[in-house]
Amino acid sequence: LLYTLHSAGGRTLLFAFRYFCMLTLMFIVWTYARRMGQGRDVFTFFVLAVILLASFSAAFLKPEIISMVLMALTSGLYFSVKASLWGRWKTRPFLFYPLLFLFWVNAHLAFFFGMVLLGLITFGEVLNYLFSRKHGLSNQGIGHLLTGAILSLVATFITPYGYRLHLEIYN
């Protein structure tokens, strides 16, 4: 992707892509805050400023920049479903996780950290389901999350390297 952007527009297009990724990250957070009724809150703008400053270290022109956006999408998808922002879709958006990870595994090896995050989210929601039903997802919600997490793991094997990629990470 970066090579194609460089071939098409040189450094100018690469830097435009860098700032597009950073703005996408901020847009994800701001959209969530706005949907929660805090889009114009001073604290929201403070958080956006912190994200902007912190993202500079992850926004160098290398494939890691894509992982930064995909990590934000992974988190944003979970929190937006948990906050019931999808309306009639309810918890079905968890089924988008496999598509996200299919792209991610073929873009950058940091997909592994995204899988760890998704695993922790799933583990936490299973604990909520078992011990704190008031804070946990519904039966259908836990089903969608588990299905999305398992299919995401399967999706990480759909690369030109197949299972050897996971062995290489392990080694």
Side-chain angles (χ1 to χ4, degrees):
L1 175 66
L2 295 177
Y3 175 77
T4 303
L5 289 172
H6 184 265
S7 297
R11 296 184 103 174
T12 304
L13 193 55
L14 283 175
F15 279 101
F17 178 72
R18 175 186 185 200
Y19 291 107
F20 171 77
C21 288
M22 292 173 66
L23 288 173
T24 300
L25 179 67
M26 293 178 59
F27 180 75
I28 291 167
V29 174
W30 180 78
T31 301
Y32 177 76
R34 184 179 56 82
R35 298 276 316 266
M36 294 298 294
Q38 299 175 352
R40 294 184 178 188
D41 191 46
V42 173
F43 184 70
T44 299
F45 290 110
F46 174 73
V47 168
L48 290 173
V50 169
I51 289 171
L52 181 64
L53 293 173
S55 66
F56 271 102
S57 64
F60 295 120
L61 288 172
K62 55 185 182 177
E64 180 182 320
I65 195 169
I66 297 166
S67 290
M68 175 184 72
V69 173
L70 293 173
M71 186 67 86
L73 284 173
T74 301
S75 301
L77 181 62
Y78 169 72
F79 286 115
S80 65
V81 169
K82 191 72 173 170
S84 302
L85 298 180
W86 285 85
R88 65 182 179 90
W89 283 71
K90 298 183 181 176
T91 58
R92 279 179 250 155
F94 285 143
L95 300 176
F96 289 128
Y97 277 133
L99 294 173
L100 188 127
F101 279 94
L102 180 63
F103 176 74
W104 199 347
V105 71
N106 287 288
H108 193 256
L109 281 180
F111 81 91
F112 177 77
F113 295 110
M115 284 304 301
V116 169
L117 174 64
L118 184 56
L120 290 171
I121 287 170
T122 305
F123 180 69
E125 283 300 329
V126 167
L127 289 177
N128 277 341
Y129 182 79
L130 295 173
F131 301 112
S132 181
R133 298 286 291 186
K134 183 173 87 172
H135 300 287
L137 294 170
S138 65
N139 291 343
Q140 186 180 34
I142 202 75
H144 285 144
L145 180 59
L146 286 170
T147 302
I150 291 168
L151 290 176
S152 295
L153 181 60
V154 171
T156 65
F157 288 91
I158 303 173
T159 70
Y161 309 105
Y163 72 92
R164 292 186 307 276
L165 178 66
H166 293 76
L167 290 177
E168 189 65 32
I169 292 170
Y170 175 75
N171 289 332

